[in-house]
Amino acid sequence: MEVYVYVGRGGRQMFLPERDPKEEEEAVFSYKVTESCGALVVTPTEEGPSKDLPPERVFAYGTLTDPEMVVGVLNRLPMIIYPAVLEGYELALEDVEGRYNTIREREGSKVKGALLAGLSDEDVRAIDRYEGYPVLYERELVEVKTPLGCYEAYVYIARE
């Protein structure tokens, strides 16, 4: 399965089964959704999925699971893999300058989300700012499971 998504001005979205150069030219941004080994992989239209993921990765479990939000934060679209699972944690709603999702350690639990891969140092700094690191959230290195394999990734956890 492969679907091309073109997002235009005003949030107009087109979902097409094959690349459309005219839509790509007119789109604010576009991406491809491909099924690979049971995972849905979101990549820029010119890239394909790979099991050899670039080293800088972030496990997202909230707003950054949405490709449009990722583009809003990074001004580009990295590879995004769905589903990604973090075991030994549970999703929690905490009062972090308002009510926001966070995760807490809990044996036997798991959190489903997305793995953002191929991030630059600048991308990680942009996500740091978006997540309120280091004031509101801490950043920890964890192991995340995907259908493509297990990978180390940063995750943001609200400070207690």
Side-chain angles (χ1 to χ4, degrees):
M1 175 197 81
E2 193 169 88
V3 176
Y4 289 84
V5 181
Y6 300 98
V7 179
R9 287 175 178 64
R12 176 183 155 270
Q13 293 188 1
M14 292 285 294
F15 298 85
L16 302 173
E18 43 192 58
R19 268 183 105 160
D20 185 326
K22 184 176 184 293
E23 285 292 336
E24 273 182 40
E25 188 176 301
E26 294 176 7
V28 174
F29 74 96
S30 60
Y31 57 92
K32 176 174 62 175
V33 181
T34 309
E35 186 175 4
S36 178
C37 300
L40 289 181
V41 180
V42 174
T43 58
T45 52
E46 66 277 359
E47 293 182 21
S50 169
K51 290 185 180 184
D52 299 322
L53 298 183
E56 290 296 335
R57 297 177 287 268
V58 167
F59 173 71
Y61 53 85
T63 56
L64 291 179
T65 61
D66 178 353
E68 290 185 49
M69 184 62 75
V70 173
V71 170
V73 172
L74 302 181
N75 293 315
R76 73 176 195 89
L77 184 70
M79 180 184 293
I80 305 174
I81 299 167
Y82 304 94
V85 177
L86 177 59
E87 294 186 345
Y89 288 82
E90 68 178 352
L91 195 59
L93 187 62
E94 297 285 334
D95 186 13
V96 183
E97 298 291 314
R99 304 285 286 171
Y100 291 99
N101 285 338
T102 190
I103 56 174
R104 296 284 177 230
E105 285 189 66
R106 183 170 184 184
E107 192 174 322
S109 294
K110 60 185 171 184
V111 176
K112 293 181 182 175
L115 184 65
L116 284 59
L119 302 172
S120 67
D121 289 340
E122 185 178 316
D123 292 336
V124 173
R125 284 192 301 274
I127 295 171
D128 284 348
R129 286 188 299 274
Y130 175 77
E131 296 289 357
Y133 169 82
V135 176
L136 302 176
Y137 283 81
E138 297 174 3
R139 184 177 68 195
E140 295 183 14
L141 197 58
V142 294
E143 184 173 282
V144 178
K145 293 183 179 182
T146 77
L148 301 178
C150 294
Y151 302 96
E152 282 193 337
Y154 291 123
V155 67
Y156 292 85
I157 301 172
R159 290 185 165 280
E160 293 189 27

